[in-house]
Amino acid sequence: MGRVLLAAVAAGSTLGAAPGPARVDLLIRGGTIYAGFDAPFFGDVAISGDRIRAVGPHLAFTAGRVIDAGGMIVAPGFIDPHTHVGDQLVSGDSAKRLIPGFLLQGVTTAFIGNDGGGDPDVGKVLSRARARPVGINYAAFVGFGAIRERVIGEQDRAPSSAELKRMQAMVASGMCQGALGLSTGLFYAPQSFAKTDEVVALAREAGIRGGVYDSHIRDESSYTIGLAAAVDEAIAIGREGGLPAHISHIKALGVDVQGQAPAIIAKIELARASGQNVTADQYPWSASGTSLVASLIPLWAQDGGRPALLKRLDNPALTDRLREGILENLRRRGGAAKLLLVQGKYANRTLDQVARKLGQDPVSAAISVIRVQDPRVVSFNQSEQDIAAFMRRPWVMTSSDASGGHPRVYGSFARKYRQYVASEHVLTLREFVERSSSLTADTFGIEGRGRLRPGTYADIVVFDPKRYAERATYERPTLAARGVRFVLVNGALAVDGGKLTGLAAGRALKHRPTPGSCR
Ligand SMILES: [Zn+2]
């Protein structure tokens, strides 16, 4: 608290030399300030242009606009390190580019290009915001998947040494254009074809330039190498690549690995104790979002896409093998009652309910539905104990993994507050704020954001602690959160009195590569 007070008094007294109190553009008065560091206190925030001028109790400023924050929490705008809003940010629809579902939760910065999906042309990605204004700030990863597809295609083989050099050059160039680091999604083909050594060789290029290795790990469940070995691999890539390793949306997915959170935490904390920088992010939902085919149909039967799958469904010679594979995936995901269809004819019914309605067993019901379409499903596959265990660790930050058909787009930060802070006390409010702002900014090198203090960018959320909550549900995933009163993005009011203003004040954030690492 001492540091905040000193800074505020210094700013106030210097300016006090002019006749009368100094003037700022905006004054947020009388809120409880969680600055992203230190203990909370009662006070004001003064904003001039796009920056915070002062933070402290009873600031002596006059202002063009005074916001009464009585009874409210004032915090740094939240930073979401794992999203899939890249397409929305470049959409032709200016209202979509505001990312309203994020603003109405107080999220002012999102990372894009996760899971290995980032465009290697990071310069282009970051320059788009100039022509098409966006509602929130964004920063980008350079993605392994996109690079491997360009250089090797979809094939299951190792790169030649010339191909490896080309991929390394693409990572280096993405980093020099401002990428946060290298993202991978080793679970997904063709990234899954890469051996650990290949990934290390590319991660090293990001590390030399100050980047982070950000990974949707090879297995979050029991599909291939298993959760524990996949975490070991991510840690090894960080260690051998010489860069921080960050595990995306950490979880123990499915009945085979439920209960493993303590063992996974122990692995990560052992690496941290040895001096390695290993972190993770997490979305606060027990269900993941996918499609019925992706969740149940064995990989061999998906080869060749939907037409080939439909042919296999009609081939009596394959029936037994196919049914066995579906049954195994159902078991892994906890049974037919744990799969909720959220699209199509059977929207808002579990596969179990669909089966009863059709008078079939769950495997036959799944096949009947898939013959007609491939609806989105939410798959309830994590235990609340594992979710809480991961959440308590000081190196786990808040994320959304925002993508369609799942309430995590509109509700992740608000839900984490309502359920895990206000209702279940898994975290304190201060922990929630810091792990949704400063921890994320520090981990990924986001400069001048994530804390409320003089000189930082004015990305600020003002929310009502009695009302802040998600409204989105699995059945109605696009309901906006409630309880956020004001949101500033670079000093501009994006949410005013609980309503979107339509101001698109977001910026592309360019990560600064290590000096001398780009020529
Ligand atoms: Zn992912």
Side-chain angles (χ1 to χ4, degrees):
M1 180 155 161
R3 266 185 288 159
V4 182
L5 288 176
L6 280 177
V9 171
S13 56
T14 329
L15 296 157
R23 194 174 169 80
V24 292
D25 294 326
L26 193 80
L27 189 62
I28 301 172
R29 179 168 278 161
T32 301
I33 297 176
Y34 285 77
F37 61 105
D38 280 345
F41 64 98
F42 186 77
D44 311 333
V45 183
I47 294 116
S48 274
D50 63 356
R51 306 271 184 157
I52 293 175
R53 175 119 158 227
V55 183
H58 310 298
L59 295 181
F61 288 103
T62 60
R65 166 98 189 258
V66 176
I67 286 174
D68 174 11
M72 299 288 144
I73 305 298
V74 183
F78 300 139
I79 302 174
D80 187 341
H82 194 101
T83 80
H84 297 280
V85 298
D87 288 345
Q88 233 179 300
L89 284 166
V90 298
S91 145
D93 180 341
S94 59
K96 273 194 188 149
R97 293 202 307 273
L98 291 178
I99 321 290
F102 279 27
L103 284 176
L104 289 167
Q105 294 181 75
V107 176
T108 54
T109 298
F111 298 172
I112 60 172
N114 298 92
D115 292 345
D119 188 334
D121 194 347
V122 175
K124 188 179 76 194
V125 172
L126 295 179
S127 66
R128 279 178 185 142
R130 258 179 276 145
R132 295 189 155 182
V134 292
I136 59 170
N137 306 309
Y138 67 94
F141 290 98
V142 55
F144 175 50
I147 287 177
R148 201 177 206 272
E149 268 170 54
R150 277 196 203 177
V151 174
I152 304 182
E154 304 276 334
Q155 297 164 56
D156 182 358
R157 64 169 175 86
S160 69
S161 71
E163 285 167 337
L164 187 64
K165 280 212 179 75
R166 257 187 81 199
M167 293 197 289
Q168 286 175 311
M170 287 166 87
V171 175
S173 138
M175 287 304 304
C176 292
Q177 292 168 48
L180 294 161
L182 174 70
S183 81
T184 68
L186 299 184
F187 176 69
Y188 301 106
Q191 298 179 66
S192 54
F193 304 142
K195 303 272 189 302
T196 307
D197 285 357
E198 175 184 337
V199 185
V200 169
L202 300 187
R204 200 170 281 138
E205 296 297 319
I208 291 166
R209 294 166 181 85
V212 173
Y213 174 67
D214 175 80
S215 184
H216 178 148
I217 58 177
R218 204 178 284 275
D219 193 352
E220 297 179 318
S221 184
S222 56
Y223 286 103
T224 52
I225 62 172
L227 172 64
V231 169
D232 286 339
E233 182 187 36
I235 293 172
I237 290 168
R239 187 178 59 236
E240 286 162 34
L243 78 176
H246 180 85
I247 296 173
S248 299
H249 41 60
I250 195 165
K251 65 172 84 75
L253 188 160
V255 294
D256 292 340
V257 296
Q258 275 170 19
Q260 285 189 14
I264 300 303
I265 289 167
K267 274 180 188 303
I268 292 172
E269 296 195 336
L270 192 66
R272 288 173 59 87
S274 79
Q276 223 194 311
N277 188 350
V278 183
T279 52
D281 64 75
Q282 177 192 43
Y283 57 79
W285 306 87
S286 63
S288 58
T290 176
S291 81
L292 191 59
V293 167
S295 62
L296 291 185
I297 299 291
L299 281 175
W300 64 265
Q302 292 185 50
D303 189 6
R306 183 165 175 86
L309 168 62
L310 291 177
K311 264 193 208 132
R312 290 187 190 108
L313 292 177
D314 287 333
N315 182 348
L318 295 176
T319 306
D320 285 353
R321 200 178 155 207
L322 198 59
R323 290 186 61 94
E324 227 170 81
I326 294 174
L327 198 62
E328 168 61 9
N329 283 334
L330 260 180
R331 183 200 63 77
R332 180 180 276 129
R333 287 180 178 271
K338 301 284 188 188
L339 269 189
L340 177 71
L341 284 66
V342 293
Q343 210 184 31
K345 190 172 171 190
Y346 299 106
N348 296 332
R349 285 202 174 90
T350 62
L351 180 60
D352 198 38
Q353 291 166 328
V354 175
R356 263 180 276 145
K357 192 169 164 65
L358 296 176
Q360 297 174 342
D361 66 85
V363 173
S364 307
I367 292 172
S368 303
V369 174
I370 287 166
R371 276 185 204 282
V372 182
Q373 56 160 187
D374 179 20
R376 298 279 311 168
V377 297
V378 291
S379 165
F380 294 86
N381 52 37
Q382 298 174 59
S383 79
E384 282 296 334
Q385 289 92 317
D386 284 338
I387 293 174
F390 284 128
M391 194 179 285
R392 284 193 190 97
R393 308 323 303 161
W395 40 268
V396 174
M397 52 204 85
T398 317
S399 69
S400 67
D401 195 11
S403 61
H406 191 294
R408 62 195 180 196
V409 184
Y410 286 82
S412 290
F413 286 72
R415 175 183 175 86
K416 183 161 169 177
Y417 169 77
R418 180 197 56 79
Q419 179 162 336
Y420 297 100
V421 178
S423 149
E424 292 174 15
H425 309 291
V426 172
L427 294 185
T428 65
L429 177 49
R430 177 176 167 185
E431 288 167 336
F432 165 69
V433 168
E434 293 179 4
R435 294 169 195 184
S436 305
S437 57
S438 50
L439 175 65
T440 319
D442 294 350
T443 302
F444 291 94
I446 300 293
E447 293 174 357
R449 298 177 200 272
R451 285 180 179 78
L452 301 181
R453 62 179 175 206
T456 59
Y457 291 98
D459 291 346
I460 303 174
V461 56
V462 178
F463 67 88
D464 182 346
K466 294 197 198 67
R467 293 194 66 242
Y468 186 41
E470 88 284 18
R471 291 193 305 136
T473 63
Y474 293 106
E475 291 78 17
R476 300 182 69 190
T478 60
L479 292 176
R482 63 181 165 84
V484 166
R485 301 294 300 158
F486 301 93
V487 176
L488 272 76
V489 178
N490 296 305
L493 269 169
V495 175
D496 188 347
K499 299 224 158 50
L500 291 166
T501 62
L503 282 181
R507 294 178 190 167
L509 308 182
K510 198 170 165 181
H511 180 264
R512 206 149 40 100
T514 305
S517 66
C518 295
R519 271 154 298 166

